[in-house]
Amino acid sequence: MELAHYSDYAVRLVNSEAPGQGKDTLTSVQAVRDLFGPNRSAARRATDADVTRFRAVRGRLRAVFEAADGGDETLAVDLLNSLLLEFPVSPQISGHDTRDDDGRPLWHMHLADHPSNATAGYAAIAAMGLAFHLTEHGVDRLGLCEAAPCRNAYLDTSTNRSRRYCSDRCATRANVAAYRARKRLEADRSAGTGRAAESAQRSNASGER
């Protein structure tokens, strides 16, 4: 598992809220536990107090994406560094008891956290994963969906750095909206041209009289 894979933790947490739509799914301990995905041993540490703590970390992670999306690389890095300092991890080699075809362990790097609570553990992994993604791919690979009012966070892994939306659904919705806007503009221009022509005809007719 690549360490940058842990950046998905950051995306999942940030996208548990849709500020532009007034939606927030992070409202219970179970919602906190669901964010951990298959890491059930870590999820079991979550308590009621973690709901509020998770929301606080979520706001700080969203600020990283907002800074990156706005082109302020230095601010994005500074905000992420503050999280890394507050929530440290220890890289370790792990095999997780998985074996290759020859029976040897499938060694890979793993981020081991030593948290005082579930929030600290999750924040440590999310921040470190995001840091690896940022340094490997660039700050401009952290984005916020352009399909209003979505603004979900995403990680751009496209070869030409062209991603602008968090999902195919948002891309389709934005393209449809843009198409309709173009059609409205064309109709308005056509109507304007028609009105101008009618006015010219009336002026000519009046002059001939």
Side-chain angles (χ1 to χ4, degrees):
M1 179 185 297
E2 297 180 0
L3 292 179
H5 166 82
Y6 289 105
S7 57
D8 289 341
Y9 277 64
V11 173
R12 286 202 299 270
L13 178 53
V14 171
N15 291 345
S16 66
E17 181 185 30
Q21 303 173 56
K23 297 180 180 179
D24 187 349
T25 61
L26 192 53
T27 58
S28 67
V29 175
Q30 187 56 51
V32 169
R33 290 172 178 165
D34 290 342
L35 288 170
F36 283 91
N39 191 354
R40 294 301 174 190
S41 60
R44 284 195 290 269
R45 293 196 298 259
T47 66
D48 288 332
D50 285 299
V51 176
T52 301
R53 289 193 288 252
F54 260 68
R55 286 178 172 177
V57 172
R58 180 179 63 189
R60 295 172 66 183
L61 286 170
R62 175 169 283 278
V64 175
F65 279 91
E66 289 175 342
D69 188 68
D72 194 336
E73 296 192 14
T74 300
L75 177 59
V77 170
D78 286 346
L79 292 171
L80 190 50
N81 272 336
S82 69
L83 284 164
L84 292 170
L85 287 171
E86 186 173 344
F87 303 106
V89 295
S90 301
Q92 293 181 351
I93 300 173
S94 175
H96 288 316
D97 299 323
T98 54
R99 305 280 171 170
D100 61 17
D101 294 337
D102 297 323
R104 294 175 300 186
L106 293 173
W107 301 115
H108 60 271
M109 292 300 296
H110 173 76
L111 296 181
D113 57 281
H114 308 285
S116 56
N117 54 64
T119 304
Y122 193 100
I125 293 174
M128 183 62 75
L130 200 57
F132 273 104
H133 191 94
L134 184 152
T135 53
E136 182 175 350
H137 301 291
V139 178
D140 58 342
R141 293 290 188 146
L142 278 61
L144 293 173
C145 186
E146 293 185 13
C150 178
R151 303 301 285 169
N152 268 354
Y154 65 82
L155 300 170
D156 185 0
T157 56
S158 63
T159 55
N160 57 355
R161 300 173 183 264
S162 60
R163 185 170 179 179
R164 298 166 55 201
Y165 307 104
C166 68
S167 66
D168 290 340
R169 179 182 179 183
C170 276
T172 299
R173 189 171 71 246
N175 289 335
V176 169
Y179 173 79
R180 290 175 177 170
R182 286 195 302 271
K183 287 300 181 182
R184 286 195 298 271
L185 181 59
E186 290 172 3
D188 291 343
R189 286 176 176 171
S190 178
T193 301
R195 287 192 295 270
E198 290 175 1
S199 178
Q201 289 175 354
R202 286 194 297 270
S203 295
N204 290 336
S206 176
E208 290 174 357
R209 290 195 298 271

